[in-house]
Amino acid sequence: MNETRYNEIGLYTAMRTLRAVRRLRPDPVPATVLQRVLEAASWAPTGGNVQPWRAIAVRERALVARLGELYAARWRAYSVQHMAQLEGAPEALRAKTERMLDAGNYLADHFADTPVVLVFCFNPKIMAITDIEQKRVSVVGGASIYPAVENALLACRAEGLGCVLTTLLCEVEPEVRELLAIPEPWATAAAVPIGYPLRRGHGPISRRPVAKLAFNDRWGTEFA
Ligand SMILES: Cc1cc2nc3c(=O)[nH]c(=O)nc-3n(C[C@H](O)[C@H](O)[C@H](O)COP(=O)(O)O)c2cc1C
């Protein structure tokens, strides 16, 4: 790994500025940079260290364009639904959501120009899924995939690349499978459009404070 090609930012700075960047420039991402992003993904933990994920770096223009058509159709459906849910919501929330939807519309309209889309795939047959018998939706399998995705996002942050974790293409998995020749039983977990930011790129994020997210010893207690 070539350590000298970029200025490494602090880990905490990277995490607290890793916001969704949906407006990307079409300029290509150098292969060495992409290699480092994927190497960061490869460092993620997985159940039993099996690494039941793979990433397809989609750069061929026709493939990205087709992914863009599929994505835009799903995005339109999602954003209409999302706006409808905001009827009567406080003005500040409406304004914030509208900003997010504007950026989302930009991504949908320009998806075809994205220099690289990382499509993360997983193999459910070789994953440790310890909650599979529970009578609720199973999530543990995802823990052998999404840490790798997050590592890739953090590496993009370090490289000055904009990116956003997207999952809307999972709604049209059969089409994506055929397009990218993904064999059964591999399936899709996320698509991450990557490119240099058009505007400021990463920056401040808005999240609930720890006091609202963490407890002390028992559920519902105040974390101190
Ligand atoms: C599981 C998951 C799925 C997501 N899917 C999409 C998506 O399909 N399209 C999109 O534009 N953003 C998607 N996002 C990005 C979120 O909308 C974003 O992280 C969230 O709104 C917080 O935005 P911020 O990081 O800019 O503060 C997804 C994020 C997660 C974690």
Side-chain angles (χ1 to χ4, degrees):
M1 182 156 143
N2 187 337
E3 302 282 352
T4 60
R5 298 256 172 102
Y6 63 98
N7 296 320
E8 189 142 0
I9 61 168
L11 182 57
Y12 282 91
T13 303
M15 290 189 291
R16 72 178 154 71
T17 57
L18 184 57
R19 69 180 174 195
V21 179
R22 299 184 176 90
R23 291 184 177 90
L24 305 170
R25 302 161 70 91
D27 312 50
V29 175
T32 48
V33 173
L34 193 56
Q35 170 73 27
R36 287 197 292 264
V37 167
L38 288 168
E39 196 170 10
S42 78
W43 295 331
T46 57
N49 206 15
V50 168
Q51 297 184 280
W53 64 268
R54 298 292 183 270
I56 307 175
V58 186
R59 284 170 285 189
E60 200 179 295
R61 295 333 306 159
L63 293 178
V64 178
R66 180 63 189 137
L67 286 180
E69 284 170 8
L70 293 168
Y71 183 86
R74 299 321 308 150
W75 172 259
R76 304 278 172 244
Y78 166 82
S79 57
V80 165
Q81 211 182 7
H82 204 75
M83 263 326 267
Q85 282 167 0
L86 278 180
E87 289 287 325
E91 187 45 39
L93 177 62
R94 274 187 74 90
K96 201 166 137 189
T97 306
E98 277 167 11
R99 278 199 301 277
M100 188 276 275
L101 292 176
D102 275 354
N105 287 338
Y106 185 95
L107 176 63
D109 291 344
H110 297 83
F111 201 101
D113 301 328
T114 308
V116 192
V117 182
L118 288 183
V119 175
F120 282 86
C121 303
F122 67 98
N123 183 339
K125 299 268 191 252
I126 54 170
M127 285 187 338
I129 312 179
T130 56
D131 64 348
I132 201 149
E133 303 292 344
Q134 301 302 319
K135 291 188 185 62
R136 56 156 174 78
V137 68
S138 172
V139 299
V140 171
S144 285
I145 310 158
Y146 294 109
V149 179
E150 183 69 5
N151 271 10
L153 299 179
L154 283 166
C156 285
R157 173 71 189 91
E159 299 284 355
L161 286 165
C163 57
V164 55
L165 191 169
T166 77
T167 50
L168 284 172
L169 282 171
C170 298
E171 294 178 0
V172 286
E173 185 173 276
E175 286 91 332
V176 175
R177 173 188 300 290
E178 196 187 335
L179 188 69
L180 305 180
I182 302 167
E184 296 275 3
W186 291 86
T188 59
V192 181
I194 295 175
Y196 292 100
L198 191 65
R199 296 184 178 176
R200 278 175 306 156
H202 294 295
I205 51 173
S206 144
R207 300 287 188 264
R208 291 189 175 94
V210 171
K212 294 229 184 305
L213 296 167
F215 305 127
N216 202 27
D217 289 328
R218 285 185 179 74
W219 185 271
T221 59
E222 190 181 329
F223 178 77

